């Protein structure tokens, strides 16, 4: 029996190579995203345990509205929580939405997180009642929600659009959190976190090659 080799057209070969490379990059990105988000949430739990064990109140370092000294809390508040119940309620959505937000690269994820934290924090500082202290990762959660929803629209990637649709279906109910409601819940953090996530998706959108001018 004679074996005969079959020549694979260059276009098919290049398409297959691109698909394999894309799948490999996505798998590597998923692994890195999972590790980073797990470390992030684990760090929040470690801080909450330290706050419980050590004297003093870490939450005093949250965002203190209309107080210039409270502006530093913008970068600390997302990692502080008002007890283990508060942190537990935030952990699962933060893991899921943070993972999806980090799929397209850790550097992009960190920049998006910074934008969300600043926009959400400033919004809370300006719009909450004076001297109110706000803590919690809810701004990040709503920010990642907005980021994942808007990323596919701005980047025009089919996979990201499908992920955004899935997130919208699974978490559509949280959108009511941007409206004033239950006392003690910072709807301002939710609203400005969502705005920050959409802004981050636009700022960090994939740049397209410029078309040649004729």
């Amino acid at each position: 029996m004679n074996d005969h080799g079959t020549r694979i057209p260059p276009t098919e070969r290049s398409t297959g190579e691109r698909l394999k490379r894309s799948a490999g990059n996505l798998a590597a990105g998923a692994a890195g995203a999972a590790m980073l988000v797990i470390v992030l949430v684990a760090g929040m739990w470690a801080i909450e345990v330290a706050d419980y064990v050590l004297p003093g109140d870490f939450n005093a370092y949250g965002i203190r509205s209309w107080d210039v000294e409270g502006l530093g809390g913008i970068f600390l508040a997302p990692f502080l929580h008002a007890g283990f119940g508060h942190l537990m309620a935030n952990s699962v959505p933060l893991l899921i939405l943070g993972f999806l937000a980090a799929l397209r690269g850790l550097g992009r994820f960190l920049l998006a997180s910074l934008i969300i934290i600043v926009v959400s924090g400033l919004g809370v500082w300006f719009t909450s009642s004076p001297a109110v202290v706000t803590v919690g990762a809810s701004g990040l959660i709503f920010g990642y929600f907005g980021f994942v929803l808007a990323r596919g629209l701005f980047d025009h990637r089919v996979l990201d659009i499908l992920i955004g649709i899935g997130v919208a279906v699974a978490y559509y109910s949280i959108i009511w959190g941007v409206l004033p409601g239950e006392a003690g819940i910072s709807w301002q953090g939710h609203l400005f976190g969502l705005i920050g996530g959409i802004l981050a998706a636009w700022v960090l959108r994939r740049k397209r090659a410029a078309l040649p001018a004729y």
Side-chain angles (χ1 to χ4, degrees), residues 60-76:
Y61 298 101
I63 302 171
R64 194 178 307 109
S65 305
W66 292 98
D67 185 339
V68 174
E69 293 183 357
L71 282 171
I74 288 174
F75 300 99
L76 299 175

Side-chain angles (χ1 to χ4, degrees), residues 34 37-38 41 90-100:
V37 176
I38 289 172
V41 175
N90 281 342
S91 292
V92 173
L94 187 60
L95 284 168
I96 295 172
L97 294 172
F99 168 75
L100 294 174

Side-chain angles (χ1 to χ4, degrees), residues 1 26 42-43 51 54 58 64 67 98 100 103 117 129-130 144 164 171 173 180 203:
M1 181 180 293
L26 186 60
D51 188 23
L54 299 176
F58 287 13
R64 194 178 307 109
D67 185 339
L100 294 174
L103 272 179
I117 288 171
S129 300
Y144 293 149
Y171 286 97
S173 61
V203 170

Side-chain angles (χ1 to χ4, degrees), residues 6-158:
T6 302
R7 185 181 297 275
I8 300 175
T11 54
E12 293 184 11
R13 186 163 56 244
S14 61
T15 300
E17 290 172 354
R18 282 199 302 270
L19 289 174
K20 287 181 180 179
R21 188 162 54 246
S22 177
N25 291 339
L26 186 60
M35 290 183 62
L36 178 59
V37 176
I38 289 172
V39 169
L40 174 66
V41 175
M44 292 179 180
W45 276 91
I47 291 172
E48 192 60 31
V49 169
D51 188 23
Y52 181 78
V53 172
L54 299 176
D57 183 9
F58 287 13
N59 291 348
Y61 298 101
I63 302 171
R64 194 178 307 109
S65 305
W66 292 98
D67 185 339
V68 174
E69 293 183 357
L71 282 171
I74 288 174
F75 300 99
L76 299 175
F79 307 97
L80 304 173
H81 288 82
F84 290 106
H86 185 202
L87 177 54
M88 192 175 300
N90 281 342
S91 292
V92 173
L94 187 60
L95 284 168
I96 295 172
L97 294 172
F99 168 75
L100 294 174
L103 272 179
R104 287 300 179 187
L106 303 188
R108 195 181 188 197
F109 171 74
L110 293 175
L111 286 173
S113 299
L114 179 61
I115 293 171
I116 293 167
I117 288 171
V118 171
V119 173
S120 175
L122 286 175
V124 167
W125 191 86
F126 275 111
T127 62
S128 297
S129 300
V132 168
V133 178
T134 302
V135 296
S138 297
L140 273 178
I141 292 170
F142 276 77
Y144 293 149
F145 175 75
F147 181 75
V148 172
L149 285 184
R151 179 178 58 192
L153 299 177
F154 293 137
D155 284 357
H156 297 282
R157 283 192 174 109
V158 175

